Amino acid sequence: MRLTSDFWVSALVRRVNGTGAFAALSNRGAMEAGAIFIKLRNPDGTYNLFGPAPQMIYDETKPDERLFMQLKSNAAEMDINDDLEKQKRWDSDLWIVEIEDYRGDRSELFSVVEV
């Protein structure tokens, strides 16, 4: 059984804040299954955007795991916000988590796959 989006996002925010970084929720989506997007601020002031990985990427032996793919890299905040507004018009049930992490290592925060 897959964790609800609400539970997973709460755990992510707690995990990020526990590592010395900062995470906040900027859009609350559907509790059960809203898509999750992560807006990550880099040390140089640019942003990366991560969104749900396509279903074909998931490992059948780990169906509960949430995977993300990088949608944009080293972009201006305005570009990221524009993309997220377009996503919200298409799917108003999405979650947006904003993270500021100046350590640079995000591997323990959430799983990113190459598509």
Side-chain angles (χ1 to χ4, degrees):
M1 184 170 166
R2 190 173 196 177
L3 296 175
T4 65
S5 296
D6 181 48
F7 188 87
W8 193 91
V9 166
S10 295
L12 175 64
V13 169
R14 182 172 292 164
R15 188 169 52 247
V16 169
N17 290 336
T19 65
F22 177 75
L25 186 62
S26 65
N27 196 72
R28 180 177 295 277
M31 289 185 73
E32 296 297 319
I36 301 167
F37 289 82
I38 299 171
K39 177 181 166 183
L40 190 117
R41 187 174 197 276
N42 296 310
D44 65 359
T46 62
Y47 287 80
N48 295 350
L49 179 62
F50 299 88
Q55 290 296 323
M56 67 183 182
I57 300 296
Y58 283 82
D59 183 348
E60 291 179 13
T61 63
K62 300 177 187 176
D64 300 337
E65 184 178 29
R66 290 203 185 252
L67 300 174
F68 294 86
M69 63 183 207
Q70 189 164 346
L71 303 174
K72 280 208 168 172
S73 177
N74 300 319
E77 184 175 23
M78 188 170 53
D79 292 338
I80 300 293
N81 290 342
D82 288 346
D83 286 355
L84 290 170
E85 285 302 317
K86 288 176 190 173
Q87 284 289 337
K88 280 197 264 188
R89 284 193 295 271
W90 185 74
D91 177 12
S92 61
D93 289 336
L94 63 85
W95 294 77
I96 301 172
V97 180
E98 295 192 33
I99 299 174
E100 289 187 18
D101 184 9
Y102 297 108
R103 298 168 306 131
D105 180 21
R106 303 168 193 109
S107 60
E108 79 277 359
L109 299 178
F110 55 93
S111 300
V112 178
V113 295
E114 299 275 330
V115 180

